[in-house]
Amino acid sequence: MIKRRQTPYQMQKSAEAWASQVNNNRHLQTEVQEADAHKLTLMLYTAIISHLNDALSAIDRKDEPSKNKWLQKAHAGVNELRATLRHDIDPDFATNLDNLYEYSGRLISRAKASNKADPVIEVINLLTPIKEAWESVADEARKFREDLLKFQREQASKAQQEPPKP
């Protein structure tokens, strides 16, 4: 299944909407506005795992409204991860992540219905290594973006300097 990927503008707007839901946290809103796509994705993983941990606490306290609130927020974050997948760059990898996110969403729904911690723990265990891997490549991703931007500027400059072809 091929999904239409979000444009950077749509991804930014979605992240801004998410940040505005977090108690109107101005610091977070500013951080989201200044973040690149890599940082936004890392922030999303961090938020999802945090929401899942909050849901676990609510399950332990038998606090149904809080549990549902945190699981809903985590589920929305997982759906956002699915929406940002780039099926056009590496279809197999994107499909594998999409399947993992879909499975995570089903586990979250199961946790909402069952009031059991096991599905939540499984999602945390699935997403934490991906978040850690994402953190570990942050410097490489930043360097790649800088190199790509430099290359694009050089190409644009060369194109402007070349005389028009007859």
Side-chain angles (χ1 to χ4, degrees), residues 46-144:
T46 302
I48 292 166
I49 292 168
S50 174
H51 296 332
L52 291 169
N53 282 315
D54 290 337
L56 281 176
S57 296
I59 290 170
D60 287 343
R61 293 189 316 270
K62 298 189 184 341
D63 181 354
E64 182 93 12
S66 290
K67 175 203 74 167
N68 287 334
K69 175 180 90 171
W70 295 118
L71 289 176
Q72 181 59 39
K73 286 179 177 265
H75 203 197
V78 169
N79 287 337
E80 194 61 37
L81 285 173
R82 289 184 77 190
T84 61
L85 289 173
R86 296 287 309 267
H87 290 272
D88 57 325
I89 293 177
D90 189 343
D92 292 336
F93 184 68
T95 298
N96 287 338
L97 277 177
D98 189 49
N99 290 337
L100 177 74
Y101 297 152
E102 181 182 8
Y103 177 66
S104 296
R106 286 195 316 258
L107 287 172
I108 291 169
S109 295
R110 188 178 305 155
K112 284 169 86 173
S114 70
N115 291 319
K116 293 186 179 173
D118 292 344
V120 178
I121 293 168
E122 186 173 352
V123 176
I124 292 170
N125 290 337
L126 289 170
L127 296 182
T128 298
I130 299 171
K131 175 192 175 269
E132 290 169 353
W134 201 253
E135 286 173 319
S136 73
V137 299
D139 290 337
E140 289 178 46
R142 181 191 44 75
K143 173 99 172 77
F144 175 79

Side-chain angles (χ1 to χ4, degrees), residues 5 8 11-12 31 34-43 86 89 133-154:
R5 76 177 192 88
M11 195 171 170
Q12 187 78 27
E31 190 175 352
E34 295 173 357
D36 59 25
H38 186 89
K39 177 72 174 171
L40 288 172
T41 303
L42 181 58
M43 291 171 71
R86 296 287 309 267
I89 293 177
W134 201 253
E135 286 173 319
S136 73
V137 299
D139 290 337
E140 289 178 46
R142 181 191 44 75
K143 173 99 172 77
F144 175 79
R145 284 189 306 280
E146 289 171 358
D147 291 347
L148 178 62
L149 183 61
K150 181 181 174 185
F151 175 77
Q152 289 171 333
R153 286 181 179 154
E154 288 171 359

Side-chain angles (χ1 to χ4, degrees), residues 7 29-30 86 91:
T7 66
Q29 289 175 343
T30 301
R86 296 287 309 267

